[in-house]
Amino acid sequence: MQYIGEHLLPGQIGHLLAVLSFVAALLASVSYFLAVRRRTLPDEAGWRLLGRGAFVVHGLATLGIIVALFWILVNKYYEYQYAWANVSDDLPFQYTFSAFWKEQQGSFLLWSFWHIVLGMILLFRAGRWEAPVLTVLSAAEAFIGSMILGLYIGEYRLGVSAFDLLRHTMDAPIFERADYLSQITGNGLNPLLQNYWMTIHPPTLFLGFASTLVPFSYAIAGLWTGEHREWLKPALPWALFSAAILGLGILMGGAWAYVALSFGGYWAWDPVENTSLVPWITLVAGIHAHLIARNTGYSIRSAYAFYLMTFVLVLYSTYLTRSGILGDSSAHAFTEMGLGAQLIAFIGAFAALSIALMAARSKGIPAPKQEEAIASREFWMFIGVLVLLFSAVLITGATSLPVWNKLVQIFKPDYVGAALKDPVAHHNRYQLWIGVFVGLLTGVAQWLRYQERNAAIWRRTFARHMLIALVGAAALTALNALWLNVFAWQHFALLFAAMFAVVANVDYLITFLRKNLKQAGSALSHIGFGLLLLGILGTGLNKHWISSNSFAMEGLIEGMGSEELNKNVLLLKDAPMPIRGYEATYLKDTIERQTRTFAVRFRKRDAQGNPTGEEFVLYPNVMYDRQFSQVVASNPSTKHYLTYDIFTHVSSLPKAELDPEFARQQEDSIRFEAYEAAIGDTIFTKKHYLVLDDYTKAPQHPDYRPEKGDLAFGLKLRAFALDDTVGHAAAPMLYLRPKQGAFTLPAQIGALQMRVRLTEASLARLIDADETLQYRSLRLKEGESAEFEGYRIQLVRLNRNVEHPHYTPEAGDIAVTAELLVTAPDGATAKAAPVFLIRDSRSLNLKDEVAKWGLHFRFENIEPSTATMTILAARASAQARRIPVEIAENAPRSDYIVLEAIVFPGINLVWLGSLLMLFGLGLSAWHRWTQRLRT
Amino acid sequence: MKRSHLIAIAVIAIAIGILISASQDMTTYANFAQATAKGDRVKMVGQLVKDRPVEYDPVKDPNYLSFYLRDDAGEVRRVILRAGKPQDFERSEQIVLTGQMRGDVFEASDMLLKCPSKYKDEEVYVRSEKR
């Protein structure tokens, strides 16, 4: 069949480039490999040139694929499955990036892109390391390239192409039509991913992942060429850079989870988080081993091992998150694409290469004959490296349980599998000790010296500064214990270790580095680590839910759950709810596009429950899907203070708000009863009474958008419970819209579970009342008065400025308002403003009323010769003044939200500490890079 | 003995110690029958029984959710979770619970939903009108 309107060219180009990119990466790897093998031989330069050429071609081809895919997404070519699944016509342009790397193919391309950028820098700057390093990097690129090939080799499909056509991936009758494209539209991007975090977090994280390949490649190069010391210098800035960026990527993930998703925290020990944290930990361990090796010659073997391990762990993390094996244990959803086997081959190849090379070259790796001195920095730094290794092994072990279960099930199909009872508690319990040891070691090792030969002389300085650190840490621990809820001795240990790290490193910074801040990277990082631990303690121990009201909820709970679990509170609209330390009120909600935003006001209260005067409004929102049939995301809103945050999100909504069908049924099942009353009267229902205060021709209602030509009427009333004097204002209304008909907008009085509405009978009474009225003419000049049925009517003045609600000005109109002052027998006064209008040489008039007294006025005529106005006045009968209204009681409430509100003390210490740690790494990377260039 | 050997021995000893203590944090996947027999906290995977009542009335208690779950053996039991009801609960294809049996009722402390449909809608939207 010849399909209409398809754009097949970008897809064909993309496909072709994918193959070219893959082949070029292979060629680059092989050429560079031969260039290394044939070092010092005449054809070395030729191979290297070929390798370069192939790598550049690979880079350009990959850029071409990226452009082709982007083109398809930007132009919304829904004939491609990738575009159909991830974008839609109404998707704002800036989210095209999110859509690009949302799926596996796009994120592989992003990863590949960074490898190419880094590879290009290495190609120009790595000098004699270019060939071995790029051999490894190109090989990795070939593996990644194979993931997006989408080639069939017999029955086996190698990779998943980003350019598959929708009609090839899906079987639907619509594809029997040649013009199917004009009938379909894209799915659009999941609203959860429509935010700027999804735009900045993946590129940063993938740059982090990609950059771990550089120290890995240097390590392989060192082992391969046997230049075990020489690679250490050029690789160091790369490793530091990688740790800074990978750390930043992970931190952004935490920040995203915290500020934009309703995960209720920045770290949840989720498998996806863990598997990106572990490579970072091994990388940091590797950097420390690397520094020992650079300065003393010890630990070269460890530096190798950790860098090799880091990249293999990055691959393992990729496997875990992309193969779908985490299924039961992670909240992150990944669509499985059948790449499992290819990913295992990728890990297998790089792990095997690493192990084989390490084994083969292990004997030749140099190390000093003499053991490290106990009083040396390298000894304690190495202990720290081992502690980090423990951390990595523990986290990986626990996170890999699903993999272990799968493996066992291959041999023992009835194996049920093990899982962690409570992952968060488990990880916290063990990682706490990692924090303690690392905190203490950073303080101690900083004050020791590499290859200490004069321990006796240094001992005094060391002891003095350790004393400063111990005393300072003890003081700060005591100080922080004032605000932290520390009870367990383990937490005291962690707090002390954190403070020890801070004091010792600040001391070091002041003593040695204040004149040379370029070298302050390590001290700053370690201070940051200490502050991060303090922040973790604050958010972990002092985090508390304020969204609970045990008093209000008491007796309502079946079986009485423990208070810890009561994290949600129900807020009725406009009803202030006392919660811990605050009074929360759900004020209003507004809808824009698919987002519904709730305004919730918090008023701080003191211990006695009195308001302190401090208040703020938070705006959590929920996002509906495109059909408005369900809520797909609940986004938090957070109040930031310097020392803590108040984090809120809507955890549930009334069913009627989630399900329009249910809402319709519910609305139909409400029973209204008819009543009649005049303005000023009171209606008594079974459980309530209502006072009709006024009648208006310019009503306001949340659902009413006035249009030209509308005739609108509304009531203002107050409703009371029979045994109460607190009035609840309500304003039902109805309006006539030309050519469309009459519409009634009921008023909800949530607190009393009431609905009040006007009906067609009300409309008839309001409009037709005129026919039953007996008008009497009053002839008045400006300023004059007349008596009417005991009321005194004064024509105050005429006004050319007409503001009658039912008056819409037209060109050529002559319109005048008669401003009347009405005085009742009891002295009360009211105003009325009927209008006289000449339009198209016909005289018309617009009436006005004093509804509470049943008085109606028309402005009928002006006699220019005598300056006398004819005002018609009438008083409606008691019966005619009664307005029919319908009232429902026991209407189900749908004006509430269920809110979760959490206080995170010390959250800013988490951000500050992490950023300082990463800044220190970045500073060191920059320092080492410039140093490297100098020699 | 060399110092590095001492360190290696210490590392191995600590590692074994941690492994033994960490194994107490483990639990197994179980169905209702196994959970009853075990009496301890377990992980459970099952599906929401859609034709049995889901009880959640936030006006009464926003921290009480009750529903029926079918485990992998096909057995249906009532589950109580003392927390709010997640937005897309009814659409879940699979529910992973952590908790233990109390009499006939499974009391869950933690719930994880799998709703692939949230991320992937296999339905082709047909345009209501042409561009």
Side-chain angles (χ1 to χ4, degrees), chain A residues 647-862:
Chain A
F647 168 98
T648 63
H649 80 110
V650 173
S651 52
S652 195
L653 286 171
K655 196 175 178 197
E657 300 295 338
L658 299 171
D659 181 352
E661 182 56 34
F662 178 79
R664 215 166 297 127
Q665 286 172 10
Q666 196 178 54
E667 205 59 34
D668 289 348
S669 69
I670 296 175
R671 287 191 178 280
F672 280 93
E673 289 194 33
Y675 296 86
E676 276 191 4
I679 299 298
D681 285 358
T682 301
I683 298 173
F684 285 89
T685 66
K686 288 191 200 84
K687 298 181 199 157
H688 305 97
Y689 62 97
L690 294 90
V691 179
L692 269 57
D693 284 326
D694 204 358
Y695 155 80
T696 170
K697 287 201 283 292
Q700 288 184 334
H701 192 281
D703 296 338
Y704 178 55
R705 309 265 169 280
E707 276 186 25
K708 209 177 139 185
D710 280 0
L711 279 183
F713 306 93
L715 282 183
K716 286 183 182 166
L717 52 86
R718 282 171 297 148
F720 300 80
L722 280 181
D723 53 357
D724 202 351
T725 54
V726 180
H728 300 266
M733 65 165 286
L734 54 77
Y735 61 98
L736 276 171
R737 183 158 287 174
K739 294 180 195 145
Q740 291 189 25
F743 301 90
T744 180
L745 296 172
Q748 290 195 26
I749 308 161
L752 303 176
Q753 292 186 267
M754 290 177 85
R755 302 274 162 86
V756 183
R757 71 182 181 198
L758 297 171
T759 62
E760 288 190 16
S762 334
L763 185 67
R765 187 69 54 84
L766 289 164
I767 289 183
D768 302 342
D770 234 38
E771 291 171 8
T772 64
L773 293 176
Q774 306 276 323
Y775 279 105
R776 219 184 82 196
S777 317
L778 308 171
R779 290 168 58 80
L780 296 168
K781 290 183 180 170
E782 257 181 293
E784 285 184 350
S785 308
E787 288 291 316
F788 176 76
E789 302 229 352
Y791 293 87
R792 204 162 67 83
I793 290 117
Q794 186 192 16
L795 173 58
V796 181
R797 63 189 187 105
L798 297 181
N799 190 349
R800 298 293 296 259
N801 211 351
V802 176
E803 284 176 356
H804 194 285
H806 292 172
Y807 174 67
T808 338
E810 280 184 24
D813 279 0
I814 298 171
V816 186
T817 302
E819 290 186 3
L820 303 177
L821 181 69
V822 185
T823 312
D826 62 2
T829 61
K831 284 178 180 170
V835 174
F836 176 70
L837 168 67
I838 297 177
R839 179 175 286 173
D840 303 335
S841 64
R842 284 191 302 138
S843 65
L844 304 161
N845 67 66
L846 299 169
K847 62 180 290 190
D848 199 14
E849 301 92 5
V850 178
K852 58 186 170 186
W853 299 325
L855 294 174
H856 295 245
F857 298 100
R858 288 180 177 279
F859 184 2
E860 199 191 39
N861 200 9
I862 302 176

Side-chain angles (χ1 to χ4, degrees), chain A residues 164-175:
Chain A
D164 283 340
L165 291 178
L166 181 60
R167 57 185 159 88
H168 289 161
T169 52
M170 197 189 294
D171 201 15
I174 195 162
F175 300 119

Side-chain angles (χ1 to χ4, degrees), chain A residues 1-307:
Chain A
M1 187 186 299
Q2 187 62 44
Y3 291 103
I4 301 166
E6 289 188 333
H7 306 79
L8 299 181
L9 189 64
Q12 287 157 350
I13 293 175
H15 249 302
L16 196 70
L17 288 177
V19 177
L20 177 64
S21 157
F22 171 68
V23 173
L26 272 183
L27 180 63
S29 187
V30 171
S31 308
Y32 273 128
F33 176 80
L34 290 171
V36 178
R37 288 300 294 268
R38 306 192 63 79
R39 257 187 182 185
T40 68
L41 294 174
D43 55 348
E44 180 204 351
W47 286 118
R48 188 161 63 205
L49 205 63
L50 184 60
R52 275 188 184 183
F55 189 78
V56 170
V57 169
H58 164 72
L60 293 176
T62 307
L63 283 183
I65 305 171
I66 291 170
V67 170
L69 184 56
F70 213 76
W71 184 258
I72 283 168
L73 293 179
V74 169
N75 289 306
K76 318 260 160 45
Y77 290 159
Y78 299 131
E79 53 271 43
Y80 294 98
Q81 195 271 342
Y82 208 94
W84 171 81
N86 297 313
V87 294
S88 59
D89 289 353
D90 58 355
L91 186 74
F93 174 77
Q94 69 263 32
Y95 298 131
T96 315
F97 296 96
S98 310
F100 181 91
W101 45 65
K102 187 199 138 195
E103 301 267 340
Q104 298 219 13
Q105 299 97 317
S107 57
F108 275 126
L109 281 169
L110 179 61
W111 193 6
S112 189
F113 171 80
W114 287 124
H115 279 161
I116 289 161
V117 170
L118 298 172
M120 285 295 175
I121 298 172
L122 287 164
L123 194 147
F124 286 107
R125 288 293 166 90
R128 64 196 188 86
W129 290 99
E130 175 196 339
V133 166
L134 279 176
T135 306
V136 183
L137 197 142
S138 304
E141 275 297 278
F143 272 102
I144 295 177
S146 77
M147 304 287 173
I148 52 166
L149 272 179
L151 281 186
Y152 279 88
I153 300 163
E155 283 296 290
Y156 183 76
R157 189 191 57 183
L158 189 65
V160 183
S161 171
F163 301 100
D164 283 340
L165 291 178
L166 181 60
R167 57 185 159 88
H168 289 161
T169 52
M170 197 189 294
D171 201 15
I174 195 162
F175 300 119
E176 286 160 19
R177 305 174 51 151
D179 65 342
Y180 81 95
L181 255 188
S182 64
Q183 305 290 318
I184 62 169
T185 178
N187 269 334
L189 190 65
N190 179 349
L192 271 174
L193 303 179
Q194 292 188 28
N195 60 52
Y196 64 90
W197 291 104
M198 183 61 188
T199 313
I200 60 171
H201 165 63
T204 313
L205 190 66
F206 274 100
L207 176 56
F209 284 156
S211 59
T212 60
L213 180 55
V214 183
F216 176 88
S217 301
Y218 269 105
I220 294 281
L223 285 171
W224 181 13
T225 58
E227 295 182 56
H228 297 297
R229 292 183 209 275
E230 288 76 2
W231 69 279
L232 292 170
K233 189 166 189 184
L236 188 54
W238 286 103
L240 289 162
F241 167 79
S242 181
I245 298 295
L246 182 58
L248 188 63
I250 297 169
L251 183 66
M252 277 181 178
W256 180 8
Y258 176 69
V259 304
L261 299 172
S262 48
F263 288 12
Y266 53 89
W267 196 260
W269 294 111
D270 185 278
V272 172
E273 297 168 348
N274 297 350
T275 56
S276 53
L277 177 66
V278 167
W280 185 81
I281 293 174
T282 56
L283 182 59
V284 169
I287 288 171
H288 285 86
H290 194 153
L291 287 168
I292 298 173
R294 277 279 288 148
N295 288 293
T296 66
Y298 294 103
S299 296
I300 295 180
R301 199 175 275 124
S302 302
Y304 274 132
F306 278 106
Y307 287 153

Side-chain angles (χ1 to χ4, degrees), chain A residues 190-511:
Chain A
N190 179 349
L192 271 174
L193 303 179
Q194 292 188 28
N195 60 52
Y196 64 90
W197 291 104
M198 183 61 188
T199 313
I200 60 171
H201 165 63
T204 313
L205 190 66
F206 274 100
L207 176 56
F209 284 156
S211 59
T212 60
L213 180 55
V214 183
F216 176 88
S217 301
Y218 269 105
I220 294 281
L223 285 171
W224 181 13
T225 58
E227 295 182 56
H228 297 297
R229 292 183 209 275
E230 288 76 2
W231 69 279
L232 292 170
K233 189 166 189 184
L236 188 54
W238 286 103
L240 289 162
F241 167 79
S242 181
I245 298 295
L246 182 58
L248 188 63
I250 297 169
L251 183 66
M252 277 181 178
W256 180 8
Y258 176 69
V259 304
L261 299 172
S262 48
F263 288 12
Y266 53 89
W267 196 260
W269 294 111
D270 185 278
V272 172
E273 297 168 348
N274 297 350
T275 56
S276 53
L277 177 66
V278 167
W280 185 81
I281 293 174
T282 56
L283 182 59
V284 169
I287 288 171
H288 285 86
H290 194 153
L291 287 168
I292 298 173
R294 277 279 288 148
N295 288 293
T296 66
Y298 294 103
S299 296
I300 295 180
R301 199 175 275 124
S302 302
Y304 274 132
F306 278 106
Y307 287 153
L308 298 179
M309 199 190 306
T310 299
F311 184 66
V312 173
L313 282 167
V314 164
L315 295 181
Y316 180 60
S317 143
T318 303
Y319 168 73
L320 286 185
T321 51
R322 287 172 192 257
S323 65
I325 198 164
L326 290 177
D328 293 349
S329 52
S330 170
H332 293 65
F334 287 90
T335 15
E336 202 258 325
M337 289 196 137
L339 291 174
Q342 254 175 286
L343 286 164
I344 289 174
F346 194 180
I347 306 173
F350 277 73
L353 173 73
S354 306
I355 294 167
L357 258 180
M358 271 298 266
R361 299 291 157 93
S362 183
K363 283 259 162 14
I365 298 173
K369 286 273 177 296
Q370 202 189 353
E371 278 199 285
E372 304 97 319
I374 284 196
S376 71
R377 185 186 270 188
E378 58 268 27
F379 178 78
W380 292 103
M381 250 168 103
F382 188 74
I383 299 289
V385 167
L386 287 180
V387 172
L388 290 175
L389 178 65
F390 261 117
S391 167
V393 169
L394 279 170
I395 301 174
T396 309
T399 310
S400 301
L401 279 174
V403 179
W404 174 248
N405 290 342
K406 275 265 157 61
L407 274 177
V408 178
Q409 276 158 2
I410 294 174
F411 303 104
K412 242 174 86 182
D414 59 339
Y415 179 69
V416 284
L420 286 174
K421 264 183 227 168
D422 185 348
V424 175
H426 167 84
H427 287 294
N428 284 347
R429 187 154 59 243
Y430 289 99
Q431 297 303 316
L432 181 141
W433 292 108
I434 307 293
V436 171
F437 286 122
V438 171
L440 294 175
L441 286 169
T442 60
V444 173
Q446 194 71 277
W447 280 99
L448 289 166
R449 299 193 293 185
Y450 285 121
Q451 290 176 311
E452 184 61 70
R453 311 224 183 282
N454 301 313
I457 301 168
W458 185 249
R459 190 179 292 150
R460 296 194 51 164
T461 320
F462 178 73
R464 190 167 66 244
H465 286 284
M466 282 302 103
L467 193 67
I468 293 174
L470 284 171
V471 172
L476 283 175
T477 303
L479 222 66
N480 277 302
L482 294 178
W483 70 278
L484 283 170
N485 298 328
V486 240
F487 299 113
W489 65 274
Q490 293 95 330
H491 295 149
F492 268 110
L494 185 61
L495 178 58
F496 181 80
M499 292 303 99
F500 185 78
V502 171
V503 177
N505 281 287
V506 168
D507 184 16
Y508 189 77
L509 198 67
I510 294 170
T511 313

Side-chain angles (χ1 to χ4, degrees), chain B residues 70-83:
Chain B
R70 178 175 290 114
D71 68 9
D72 57 4
E75 195 181 345
V76 174
R77 288 286 178 90
R78 197 159 88 99
V79 175
I80 292 176
L81 176 75
R82 292 197 199 281

Side-chain angles (χ1 to χ4, degrees), chain B residues 65-105:
Chain B
L65 171 66
S66 143
F67 58 94
Y68 287 84
L69 187 89
R70 178 175 290 114
D71 68 9
D72 57 4
E75 195 181 345
V76 174
R77 288 286 178 90
R78 197 159 88 99
V79 175
I80 292 176
L81 176 75
R82 292 197 199 281
K85 188 175 81 164
Q87 309 284 10
D88 38 12
F89 179 69
E90 271 91 355
R91 285 166 54 97
S92 67
E93 292 189 349
Q94 197 184 61
I95 297 175
V96 185
L97 297 165
T98 313
Q100 65 189 113
M101 292 299 292
R102 289 258 157 80
D104 274 353
V105 179

